[in-house]
Amino acid sequence: MIGFVIAALSMAAVLVPLVASVSLVFRVSGVVNFGAGYVAVFASAACASWSADLGGAVGVVATLVSGALIGAVTYVVAIVPAQRRGVSAIGLTLASLGVGLLLNFATRQIFGGDPTVVQPWLSGAVTIGSYQTAAQRLLVIGLAVVLLVLLWFVFDRTLMGRTLTAVAHDRELAAMYGVRANRFELIAWTSSGVCLVIGGLFQATLASVSVEVAPTLLVLSLVGAVIGGLDNIFTAVGGALVAGLAVSATDQFVAPGYQLTALFVVLSIVLLVRPHGLFAFRGASERV
């Protein structure tokens, strides 16, 4: 039982930054970022390579910076021009997928397509009762909690976070108060890129990551966010926990290889019972 709980929490910990990223961009720009999984895979490959060449800490920092740049470039190059031409939300979503596929090509060309592993930041094992697990797994769970607290502080206790929320709720009204929405959309995409990198690093320190994993990470992050409630970062994070439980329970009690099937079953049930998300309030959803 302890093993199942730790496996579910570590899976949820990997998904937390991914679903937060997807939810943040959707709230502020109305775009579902279909390139999310490809950014996470790029991050794992880049960090493994750069850490070997430059050292672990420098490699991690360089990867985080690259994630911020990828998010900003995606917004400036792919989203803004399309928005100015009145492209629909579906078109913008496909534009983000196009960026992701280009990034996938770059990942193969620069780092190769072989599975990569980022060296754990904490070595050794920890014994809990009769169960032994890698210390890195517990570290990832702890870092996900720290990230959640940081996100709560930024969005609930800072002017920038409240302005992002205002832009998400009513862009025109925010503009009447002098808020430059495009500037905050850029901040959202940049922050989203950093979150995707963090999710990729979490995954790569627990298991090998290859370019073929990108679609799976995309599906897990999207389905997790929708289960919890896509239009709120913290309800989406709740969906990450549900997704982690569903995937781990299927893997441990049913059969490996059916995780996505089980996840979509959970999604279907949630949408029937709570169309706006398991943890979302209808009023909040309608405001967006």
Side-chain angles (χ1 to χ4, degrees), residues 201-243:
L201 296 184
F202 282 179
Q203 177 63 32
T205 59
L206 299 178
S208 62
V209 176
S210 67
V211 291
E212 284 76 18
V213 176
T216 302
L217 290 176
L218 171 63
V219 170
L220 288 172
S221 58
L222 290 179
V223 174
V226 173
I227 286 176
L230 183 59
D231 54 15
N232 183 290
I233 290 178
F234 299 103
T235 59
V237 166
L241 180 59
V242 174

Side-chain angles (χ1 to χ4, degrees), residues 62-277:
T63 309
L64 291 172
V65 172
S66 71
L69 290 174
I70 290 171
V73 169
T74 301
Y75 175 68
V76 172
V77 174
I79 302 302
V80 171
Q83 285 178 330
R84 288 175 178 169
R85 287 165 175 76
V87 174
S88 65
I90 294 178
L92 297 176
T93 296
L94 292 178
S96 71
L97 175 61
V99 173
L101 292 175
L102 287 174
L103 192 61
N104 186 47
F105 175 77
T107 303
R108 288 181 182 274
Q109 295 302 311
I110 298 173
F111 304 111
D114 297 331
T116 56
V117 177
V118 174
Q119 290 302 313
W121 303 320
L122 196 60
S123 59
V126 176
T127 301
I128 304 174
S130 59
Y131 182 78
Q132 190 176 62
T133 185
Q136 176 66 23
R137 195 170 290 276
L138 299 181
L139 177 63
V140 166
I141 295 172
L143 289 176
V145 174
V146 172
L147 178 63
L148 271 178
V149 174
L150 181 62
L151 288 173
W152 168 81
F153 179 81
V154 169
F155 283 94
D156 200 65
R157 290 291 184 269
T158 68
L159 179 60
M160 183 184 75
R162 291 174 179 174
T163 307
L164 278 168
T165 302
V167 172
H169 282 180
D170 196 324
R171 185 188 182 97
E172 287 73 21
L173 182 61
M176 291 176 62
Y177 284 90
V179 175
R180 299 178 66 177
N182 288 342
R183 179 176 298 177
F184 284 90
E185 282 194 46
L186 176 60
I187 292 174
W189 278 88
T190 303
S191 304
S192 166
V194 174
C195 286
L196 293 176
V197 164
I198 293 173
L201 296 184
F202 282 179
Q203 177 63 32
T205 59
L206 299 178
S208 62
V209 176
S210 67
V211 291
E212 284 76 18
V213 176
T216 302
L217 290 176
L218 171 63
V219 170
L220 288 172
S221 58
L222 290 179
V223 174
V226 173
I227 286 176
L230 183 59
D231 54 15
N232 183 290
I233 290 178
F234 299 103
T235 59
V237 166
L241 180 59
V242 174
L245 287 169
V247 169
S248 299
T250 305
D251 191 34
Q252 185 160 339
F253 303 117
V254 182
Y258 291 93
Q259 296 95 335
L260 292 182
T261 303
L263 194 58
F264 275 97
V265 170
V266 173
L267 174 66
S268 300
I269 295 172
V270 169
L271 291 179
L272 285 174
V273 179
R274 301 273 297 176
H276 298 280

Side-chain angles (χ1 to χ4, degrees), residues 12-73:
V14 171
L15 293 179
V16 161
L18 299 181
V19 300
S21 168
V22 170
S23 176
L24 174 60
V25 164
F26 177 75
R27 290 187 72 208
V28 178
S29 294
V31 178
V32 179
N33 184 7
F34 268 35
Y38 299 100
V39 179
V41 169
F42 172 85
S44 62
C47 189
S49 176
W50 294 341
S51 295
D53 296 337
L54 306 173
V58 177
V60 170
V61 172
T63 309
L64 291 172
V65 172
S66 71
L69 290 174
I70 290 171
V73 169

